[in-house]
Amino acid sequence: MTANEIQQQLDALSTPEKKAFLPYFFKTGKGQYGEGDKFLGVVVPDIRKVAKEHKALPISELQQLLKSESHECRLCALLILIEQFRKSKDADREKIYEFYLANSRYVNNWDLVDLSCYHIVGEYLSDKDRSRLYELAESELLWDQRIAVVSTMAFIRKNDFKDILSLSEKLLNHKHDLMHKACGWMLREAGKRDEDVLKSFLDKHHKVMPRTMLRYSIEKLTKEERAHYMKK
């Protein structure tokens, strides 16, 4: 199977309704974060099925699929990479991790980041030095910055909160709403596992946090606690 054949397979699963709706949903208009992204009109469950059928796709074909102008093709490539990462040993995992980051410019919408990064970048770095995340957070590319934050999900699930607290503090003055949402989401996930960790962060920063980051982070707190932290 080649990248072109997989694209044809995905194209056959397209529906007119999704092809019309997805560009609007993912903000592909001029000046929006997804400007220029192209959609076939395929839903994620169908993309997952195609990915599972082609788990052994060679890296050269994955590269072509990842470079596709079609959003669904790029997602399919990322889902295949996740499957390959899960079944690989350490040396091959490192290759997949480096391949992912070398091609991060194609992981160029929030769903592509959120569905893939912590399965590869986060899992790979779980027992390693994490300075690469801070380099990504300094990148000029928005999607690299989001990869840095959402990759911490892998650590949070192991009750390791140090990096999401550090990155969220580092990004308090970020200008993009997508980063406010990402930090707030990860802080909320940390709070679901250790509420005291979240409250300690909020006690220190809630008065200066972007409102979107704050709202996302406190969603699982009580009504009274939410009201307290929303006060300036």
Side-chain angles (χ1 to χ4, degrees):
M1 182 64 68
T2 67
N4 286 336
E5 289 170 326
I6 290 175
Q7 177 152 354
Q8 291 171 13
Q9 190 175 354
L10 289 168
D11 203 18
L13 296 168
S14 169
T15 65
E17 295 80 11
K18 288 297 180 184
K19 194 167 186 176
F21 171 72
L22 290 173
Y24 166 79
F25 182 74
F26 285 103
K27 309 297 184 187
T28 63
K30 186 172 179 58
Q32 295 181 307
Y33 61 75
E35 181 177 352
D37 206 352
K38 306 292 184 185
F39 287 82
L40 298 173
V42 187
V43 296
V44 172
D46 285 342
I47 301 170
R48 289 190 182 278
K49 289 176 185 176
V50 173
K52 286 185 177 180
E53 291 173 11
H54 307 296
K55 291 183 289 187
L57 193 70
I59 200 76
S60 59
E61 295 300 323
L62 276 171
Q63 178 82 77
Q64 292 305 309
L65 200 60
L66 198 54
K67 287 182 176 180
S68 171
E69 68 172 11
S70 299
H71 186 101
E72 291 91 340
C73 289
R74 300 197 301 280
L75 177 54
C76 189
L78 294 168
L79 295 174
I80 292 171
L81 271 180
I82 292 169
E83 290 295 323
Q84 293 184 358
F85 183 89
R86 284 173 175 163
K87 297 182 182 303
S88 296
K89 298 189 187 273
D90 289 346
D92 288 330
R93 283 190 166 199
E94 182 177 10
K95 291 177 183 176
I96 292 169
Y97 160 80
E98 293 292 353
F99 175 83
Y100 182 95
L101 291 182
N103 289 277
S104 64
R105 62 190 178 278
Y106 304 117
V107 190
N108 57 351
N109 215 315
W110 59 263
D111 65 316
L112 302 180
V113 171
D114 296 356
L115 289 171
S116 64
C117 69
Y118 68 89
H119 293 291
I120 296 175
V121 178
E123 285 298 329
Y124 180 75
L125 293 178
S126 287
D127 59 352
K128 297 176 180 64
D129 176 80
R130 298 172 188 174
S131 57
R132 190 77 170 270
L133 292 185
Y134 296 85
E135 293 172 13
L136 290 168
E138 294 283 356
S139 170
E140 294 182 359
L141 186 63
L142 173 66
W143 308 115
D144 279 349
Q145 296 167 10
R146 190 165 172 114
I147 286 169
V149 171
V150 179
S151 290
T152 65
M153 176 73 88
F155 317 149
I156 292 167
R157 288 181 170 180
K158 298 170 185 175
N159 296 319
D160 180 351
F161 311 120
K162 178 182 177 182
D163 292 291
I164 188 52
L165 297 176
S166 296
L167 286 166
S168 295
E169 189 171 44
K170 180 182 181 66
L171 295 166
L172 281 173
N173 295 316
H174 200 285
K175 295 181 179 179
H176 206 294
D177 191 57
L178 283 177
M179 293 305 298
H180 304 166
K181 291 177 179 178
C183 290
W185 171 27
M186 292 300 105
L187 288 169
R188 182 179 72 232
E189 291 299 314
K192 284 161 61 175
R193 291 160 176 81
D194 191 329
E195 201 169 273
D196 289 339
V197 166
L198 172 60
K199 287 180 177 177
S200 178
F201 184 90
L202 294 172
D203 289 342
K204 184 177 180 181
H205 298 296
H206 76 277
K207 291 184 179 180
V208 296
M209 288 170 71
R211 299 298 273 180
T212 298
M213 185 191 298
L214 179 59
R215 284 196 300 270
Y216 269 56
S217 67
I218 64 176
E219 280 182 358
K220 297 300 180 180
L221 299 182
T222 66
K223 181 180 179 180
E224 293 74 21
E225 289 169 332
R226 294 196 303 272
H228 166 72
Y229 286 118
M230 288 299 290
K231 287 181 181 177
K232 283 291 188 180

